[in-house]
Amino acid sequence: MVTTSQKLVISGYYGYHNSGDEAVLKSILTALEEESHRSNVTIEPIVLSGDPEWTTSMYGVRSVHRMKLKEVREAIKESDGLISGGGSLLQDATGLKSIPYYLGVIKLAQWLKKPTFIYAQGIGPVNRKMFNPMIRSVFKACNYVSVRDEQSAEYLRGLGLQWNQIHVVPDPVMGLPLPEAKVEEVSSVAVNAQGASVHTKLPVIGVSVRFWESDRKELTAIAAGLKKLCSKKAVHLRFMPFHLPIDEQASRFVMEMLGDLGNKGSEVSITKDLTDPQLMLQEVSNCDVVIGMRLHSLIYAASQYVPPVGISYDPKIDQFMLRLDSETVGSTDALDGDKLAKTVANLLDQRSQWLKEHEEGITELKQEAKVPAQQIIKYLGRKG
């Protein structure tokens, strides 16, 4: 069998030290590598990054600056195709620049006659109708389109894409493996808020928070719920900032409201400067339950068969929980601390039952997460 080498440019929100987005990149790279071993296609990735040196150092791949148009154009020109990576790239909730940028990169590849692939994206919210014809035009010219939820597929169908043009697949991070070198488990040693070692065998509750409401009422409710939980059970609250440094600030905001829980037998700690997605995945795998505002904290948890408790600030949180036949515990504008405490306590008591009900479905999602890589490699194999 003759092996062909194919260069693929990968576009996404990479190089900004957001654990969720970095996990998406790592998952795509891993899936492509695994699938290439089963085929006659070898993939040479070129990642568009906000910090190319860091991306190259972290993943061992070639990287160019995503905002330097000449470098981006040259990378695409020499490539055999472009992947527009997973995540919520095409949305206008955070501003007007994201959609034109990511569509522009795809369109540039199409102008250069390169095949283009949409890899498990979450589309929306798209509140401005002026973007609809742009998305329709670019996506109709793509060689493969996959989205991570049915709502994204419905949006694209509403633009005129045919149902058989769109694959609905899980988020790529559902397929992310643990690091080969297993790090020491958080249940045996961790670092507390002051930086001192914590030795505990308590149940570990992972907590991923972010700033959202201007009055911080969601974080106040989370703190109240955690205090209520600790009044009933001795636990280890393990804060896990996914987007540095802002999520660490949000974590410490909650931690300060918790006060000293030592007299109740509980412990509080926080991960430090953790940007490697697989090491964060390892942290999550050592938890007994994960409370998450960040989508990928919930995906990390589910992928490791850890019960996730979602707090919604965006429909993508609700959509993911629905894929697990579950619901969020509340939203950022309407969160009941007592309900949060009760939900976590119940999951701790009934974890084996939760696993029995969800294990098969999660295993299927982990396998389905590899489908886009399989389809892209298959296409490149035919092309080669």
Side-chain angles (χ1 to χ4, degrees), residues 293-309:
M293 289 178 66
R294 288 285 184 188
L295 171 64
H296 282 100
S297 69
L298 304 172
I299 294 173
Y300 276 34
S303 76
Q304 298 305 305
Y305 304 96
V306 175
V309 178

Side-chain angles (χ1 to χ4, degrees), residues 85-154:
S88 303
L89 304 182
L90 298 180
Q91 51 79 28
D92 59 3
T94 59
L96 295 175
K97 296 180 180 179
S98 290
I99 293 177
Y101 171 80
Y102 292 111
L103 289 181
V105 171
I106 302 169
K107 195 64 181 177
L108 176 58
Q110 292 172 349
W111 281 337
L112 292 170
K113 309 297 184 185
K114 306 296 181 179
T116 51
F117 313 101
I118 307 299
Y119 200 120
Q121 285 194 23
I123 314 295
V126 182
N127 298 308
R128 296 163 178 86
K129 292 183 179 179
M130 65 179 180
F131 289 130
N132 290 341
M134 304 179 198
I135 296 172
R136 179 192 304 115
S137 172
V138 170
F139 271 52
K140 281 195 169 185
C142 286
N143 300 84
Y144 174 76
V145 175
S146 60
V147 294
R148 70 182 181 196
D149 52 68
E150 188 59 40
Q151 289 77 7
S152 297
E154 283 298 320

Side-chain angles (χ1 to χ4, degrees), residues 18-311:
N18 182 326
S19 183
D21 291 294
E22 296 306 322
V24 167
L25 175 57
K26 180 63 176 178
S27 301
I28 292 173
L29 292 172
T30 301
L32 289 172
E33 183 178 10
E34 289 178 353
E35 195 56 35
S36 69
H37 292 327
R38 303 186 185 97
S39 70
N40 62 334
V41 178
T42 299
I43 298 299
E44 182 182 336
I46 307 172
V47 177
L48 307 185
S49 170
D51 188 346
E53 290 184 3
W54 181 83
T55 295
T56 295
S57 174
M58 177 67 74
Y59 305 109
V61 297
R62 182 178 162 195
S63 181
V64 302
H65 202 292
R66 71 197 293 270
M67 300 307 292
K68 294 183 178 179
L69 181 58
K70 183 178 180 181
E71 291 184 18
V72 171
R73 186 182 185 281
E74 288 304 311
I76 294 174
K77 187 176 180 181
E78 69 173 276
S79 77
D80 298 285
L82 175 129
I83 289 174
S84 186
S88 303
L89 304 182
L90 298 180
Q91 51 79 28
D92 59 3
T94 59
L96 295 175
K97 296 180 180 179
S98 290
I99 293 177
Y101 171 80
Y102 292 111
L103 289 181
V105 171
I106 302 169
K107 195 64 181 177
L108 176 58
Q110 292 172 349
W111 281 337
L112 292 170
K113 309 297 184 185
K114 306 296 181 179
T116 51
F117 313 101
I118 307 299
Y119 200 120
Q121 285 194 23
I123 314 295
V126 182
N127 298 308
R128 296 163 178 86
K129 292 183 179 179
M130 65 179 180
F131 289 130
N132 290 341
M134 304 179 198
I135 296 172
R136 179 192 304 115
S137 172
V138 170
F139 271 52
K140 281 195 169 185
C142 286
N143 300 84
Y144 174 76
V145 175
S146 60
V147 294
R148 70 182 181 196
D149 52 68
E150 188 59 40
Q151 289 77 7
S152 297
E154 283 298 320
Y155 168 76
L156 293 177
R157 290 176 192 128
L159 296 185
L161 272 75
Q162 299 300 311
W163 69 270
N164 58 353
Q165 291 179 279
I166 309 163
H167 278 180
V168 180
V169 297
D171 189 284
V173 178
M174 284 298 296
L176 182 65
L178 288 168
E180 292 182 7
K182 184 176 173 64
V183 298
E184 190 171 11
E185 291 192 1
V186 65
S187 56
S188 60
V189 63
V191 178
N192 68 12
Q194 290 73 42
S197 294
V198 176
H199 295 271
T200 177
K201 291 295 184 182
L202 298 171
V204 181
I205 311 300
V207 184
S208 168
V209 294
R210 62 171 298 167
F211 290 124
W212 191 254
E213 302 291 339
S214 59
D215 60 0
R216 309 299 186 225
K217 64 181 179 181
E218 78 285 20
L219 299 184
T220 302
I222 290 170
L226 294 177
K227 289 182 76 170
K228 182 70 174 287
L229 174 67
C230 292
S231 72
K232 304 291 185 182
K233 288 178 176 286
V235 297
H236 178 181
L237 301 177
R238 181 66 162 163
F239 284 81
M240 300 181 292
F242 267 65
H243 194 174
L244 296 173
I246 192 68
D247 285 8
E248 181 173 349
Q249 296 168 18
S251 296
R252 294 194 179 278
F253 182 89
V254 177
M255 292 165 73
E256 287 178 11
M257 286 190 285
L258 292 175
D260 183 10
L261 299 175
N263 61 343
K264 294 181 169 56
S266 292
E267 298 282 0
V268 181
S269 66
I270 186 169
T271 61
K272 291 293 292 179
D273 302 324
L274 204 52
T275 55
D276 186 312
Q278 286 180 296
L279 294 184
M280 183 65 89
L281 184 68
Q282 180 73 65
E283 284 278 352
V284 171
S285 74
N286 292 326
C287 295
D288 295 283
V289 174
V290 169
I291 301 168
M293 289 178 66
R294 288 285 184 188
L295 171 64
H296 282 100
S297 69
L298 304 172
I299 294 173
Y300 276 34
S303 76
Q304 298 305 305
Y305 304 96
V306 175
V309 178
I311 298 170

